[in-house]
Amino acid sequence: MDQIRPPRRFRMGWLFKLCGLALCVVVLGGAVMLLWNLVVPPIFPGAAEIGFWRALGLLVLCRILFGGFRGRHGWHEKKRRMRARWQAMTPEERERLESRFCMFGRNRKGE
């Protein structure tokens, strides 16, 4: 039995998202490292400069301690708000929104 392969644009979309995620990790890690090395050692003479991997570890630690990984309201609250917004839309607004989803690679009505 032949395997069904996803469309090329679907595979390219995941590749694009993965590259974007890697770029964000590099930029954020570099920003934390740069800020730490510019601010903390001059203020606290005993503090050492940190490298990239320690900066990423510090970023993850701060995210766990202060930000969490779920966001403010969680998925259920967002889903409820989006459903209410969808029901409040006119048919023309819904059609316009659906056509914008098509621009991002989502098929319309099973096409």
Side-chain angles (χ1 to χ4, degrees), residues 9 29 34 46 57 71 91 110:
R9 68 177 179 207
L34 181 68

Side-chain angles (χ1 to χ4, degrees), residues 83-109:
R83 182 174 290 138
R85 288 175 67 188
W86 180 262
Q87 291 173 349
M89 287 182 185
T90 64
E92 293 82 19
E93 290 173 330
R94 289 181 186 178
E95 183 67 30
R96 212 170 43 231
L97 185 64
E98 285 176 349
S99 69
R100 282 169 63 204
F101 282 147
C102 288
M103 292 185 337
F104 294 106
R106 294 188 178 155
N107 287 337
R108 222 169 118 195
K109 298 176 182 142

Side-chain angles (χ1 to χ4, degrees), residues 19-33:
C19 290
L21 179 66
L23 180 66
C24 285
V25 166
V26 168
V27 168
L28 287 174
V32 169
M33 182 183 72

